[in-house]
Each structure stands twice: as structure tokens, then as C-alpha cells.
Amino acid sequence: MSSLTEVNWTPLPVPWAVQAVDRIPKQRYYDEEFYALEAELFWPRVWQMACRLDEIPARGDFVEYEILDQSIVVVRLNLNPLTFRGDWCRVC
């Protein structure tokens, strides 16, 4: 193995880690500290599906997508090609 492909790292400890692929610890659903970690380290770093095209079929149609304490409005501006306004107020 070359030094370019060799990875030397130690994973961070994860509260309520998954021990079996078919079981998720129930504490992940109600533990406030776990929620805070997900809100800070997970959700801001993954893609979010705000809506489907069939939810905004006509020009001017919109949906509001909420994730944690954020609210994002997706507005269909054109039909072909599809465009949308991705700006939102980070202060509100």
C-alpha cells in the first residue's frame, strides 16, 4: 500500500453508536445531546431534498422547506430549463 492511499486516523467517539446494522439505539430519537451534535455536525453538511418537481409544476409555484431552525423557500422561475432561487436570509 502506498503512502498516498494509506489512511491513519482515529474515529471520534459517537454517542449511542450503532452496534448492529438492523438496530438503531432508541436514545438517538430523544437524547438532547445527540440532537445537538446532529444539528451542528451532520445536517448542515448533507444534501437536502427540498421538494419534487411535481410539487412546483408551474412558473411561480413555491414550497417552503424547513430543516431544524432554518426555512428555505424554493420558487420555480422558469419551466425549461428548470431554475430556482436558492438564496435565503441566514439571519432571519
Side-chain angles (χ1 to χ4, degrees):
M1 184 180 281
S2 76
S3 62
L4 293 177
T5 59
E6 195 172 309
V7 177
N8 293 316
W9 60 279
T10 303
L12 296 173
V14 176
W16 311 116
V18 174
Q19 301 295 322
V21 296
D22 62 341
R23 300 282 186 261
I24 296 176
K26 63 184 179 227
Q27 294 85 348
R28 285 186 166 211
Y29 294 98
Y30 62 79
D31 185 77
E32 291 181 19
E33 289 181 29
F34 189 80
Y35 173 82
L37 280 173
E38 278 193 325
E40 177 187 354
L41 301 173
F42 179 70
W43 292 115
R45 292 169 172 79
V46 297
W47 284 90
Q48 301 292 314
M49 187 180 113
C51 68
R52 296 182 318 271
L53 290 178
D54 62 351
E55 294 178 78
I56 51 172
R59 185 176 175 181
D61 286 349
F62 69 94
V63 295
E64 179 185 12
Y65 176 71
E66 295 182 43
I67 179 72
L68 301 171
D69 63 347
Q70 300 290 313
S71 176
I72 301 166
V73 177
V74 179
V75 180
R76 185 151 191 176
L77 300 177
N78 297 311
L79 295 178
N80 292 310
L82 176 68
T83 57
F84 74 95
R85 185 83 178 172
D87 301 329
W88 66 90
C89 179
R90 293 181 177 255
V91 179
C92 303

